[in-house]
Amino acid sequence: MEFSTGCGWTRLPVLAAAFILGSVLTVSAQIIPPFSPPAAASDEAETETAEAPDVNDPDVLKGIDVDKLDWSQLAVDAGTGIDPIAAKKRAQAAAKDGLDWSSNANANGSSAVTVKQSVFSFWDTRIGADMTVTSEPRTMSELLAQKATNGGNLPQSSGSAWATATAPGAGVIWDKTAVEARVDPGSEQSKLGASLTKSVPLSGDTSLTLQNGYSVNQQGTSAVPGIGGHITRNYGTDQSAKVTLTDTGTSVTAGQTLSTTDDKWLRKVGAEQKLFDNVTVSGSVGETSQGAINKSVTAGFKKSW
């Protein structure tokens, strides 16, 4: 925040006169009298002799390793007096704390837009929205192309708002608590979930991570003439254990889930392998409520900069 003060318009003539008078006096003081005698050459020689370094002067760099000096402190713009490195760090911090926008084009002609912002850094609390934005077709060919991609219908815009927070755990019971809430007004659907995580080192390069999750899904239906709307809720829980081998980049996960719509625990096992930098491949096998086995193999690439 910037504060500024100003003088009234009635004081401007007085200030201008004072400024002009001060400038005249300063210039007059700097004028050399025309009859001043020139400085003696011997005085100049004595001054140069006094300013010349002596071989017997102490060495100010004695005991200092020049290679370990932080020369980046000298990277300052002489014209503006601004440190470019510090300015870049301040800009990155401002971008991190401000709104973060991202957009990706979908195959059906719409765009997936995500906006998020940090509101509390201590618990890593963030709020945001995920939106699907459609563009109006400008030509008949674009209209037909969008209908062909979406099964004869035009894509509709939609969006959901969410909030996440990560808090510390409770001593030795668990290490981290994560809470997530999401609301989708278009489909009248909302979700509230929480997870508790505990990590236990098994050896120097092996660790075990235990996680318990709980969620509540709420689905509403719009009222129609003669039939009132109603709300249904689905409660669910999941448990998982993950073993990670740091040296090989391998992790194995086993877990199970249970919800009010299912009459039994559904079990799932999976593994993930890091091939090289930022590239991983993973596979999983799990049960479904219909009794069939669900298998999947995926590969992913992740890069942050």
Side-chain angles (χ1 to χ4, degrees):
M1 182 178 293
E2 298 181 357
F3 299 91
S4 61
T5 59
C7 299
W9 291 101
T10 57
R11 300 182 182 179
L12 291 179
V14 179
L15 294 176
F19 178 79
I20 295 173
L21 179 59
S23 301
V24 172
L25 294 177
T26 303
V27 174
S28 300
Q30 295 177 353
I31 298 177
I32 302 176
F35 299 101
S36 299
S42 59
D43 296 339
E44 295 180 356
E46 293 177 359
T47 303
E48 294 179 358
T49 304
E51 294 178 354
D54 191 355
V55 294
N56 296 325
D57 291 342
D59 187 4
V60 297
L61 296 179
K62 184 179 181 180
I64 298 177
D65 189 355
V66 180
D67 296 334
K68 295 183 179 180
L69 294 178
D70 187 7
W71 298 104
S72 63
Q73 301 295 330
L74 300 178
V76 178
D77 189 351
T80 60
I82 299 177
D83 185 352
I85 299 178
K88 183 178 180 180
K89 292 181 178 179
R90 289 193 297 268
Q92 292 176 350
K96 181 179 180 181
D97 296 335
L99 288 175
D100 183 10
W101 291 82
S102 63
S103 177
N104 294 314
N106 297 326
N108 60 1
S110 62
S111 298
V113 180
T114 300
V115 56
K116 59 184 177 180
Q117 182 179 19
S118 176
V119 294
F120 190 41
S121 59
F122 179 72
W123 277 6
D124 192 17
T125 305
R126 298 176 180 273
I127 59 174
D130 298 330
M131 298 167 286
T132 300
V133 182
T134 61
S135 59
E136 293 293 334
R138 293 170 294 182
T139 62
M140 182 58 66
S141 60
E142 291 183 0
L143 176 62
L144 296 176
Q146 291 185 7
K147 285 187 175 183
T149 308
N150 295 274
N153 299 319
L154 288 176
Q156 301 295 325
S157 298
S158 61
S160 61
W162 53 265
T164 61
T166 303
V172 296
I173 302 177
W174 69 85
D175 300 331
K176 184 177 65 175
T177 303
V179 180
E180 178 182 2
R182 180 178 292 270
V183 178
D184 187 350
S187 60
E188 299 186 12
Q189 185 177 6
S190 61
K191 178 181 178 181
L192 177 62
S195 63
L196 310 177
T197 305
K198 174 67 176 180
S199 297
V200 180
L202 300 179
S203 62
D205 60 345
T206 307
S207 63
L208 172 64
T209 303
L210 303 175
Q211 180 173 314
N212 289 336
Y214 310 90
S215 63
V216 179
N217 295 283
Q218 179 173 292
Q219 180 67 57
T221 58
S222 302
V224 297
I227 303 176
H230 64 280
I231 297 176
T232 59
R233 292 184 178 90
N234 179 24
Y235 300 89
T237 180
D238 63 88
Q239 303 171 355
S240 65
K242 180 179 180 180
V243 178
T244 303
L245 305 177
T246 307
D247 290 347
T248 60
T250 306
S251 62
V252 180
T253 305
Q256 57 183 1
T257 61
L258 177 65
S259 65
T260 54
T261 58
D262 302 324
D263 56 353
K264 63 177 182 178
W265 287 92
L266 302 179
R267 296 173 177 83
K268 180 179 179 180
V269 294
E272 183 179 84
Q273 177 64 51
K274 182 178 180 181
L275 300 180
F276 44 89
D277 290 342
N278 307 317
V279 177
T280 59
V281 60
S282 61
S284 64
V285 178
E287 299 176 337
T288 63
S289 58
Q290 292 79 17
I293 301 298
N294 183 21
K295 304 177 182 179
S296 66
V297 177
T298 60
F301 173 80
K302 184 177 181 181
K303 178 67 174 178
S304 299
W305 60 86

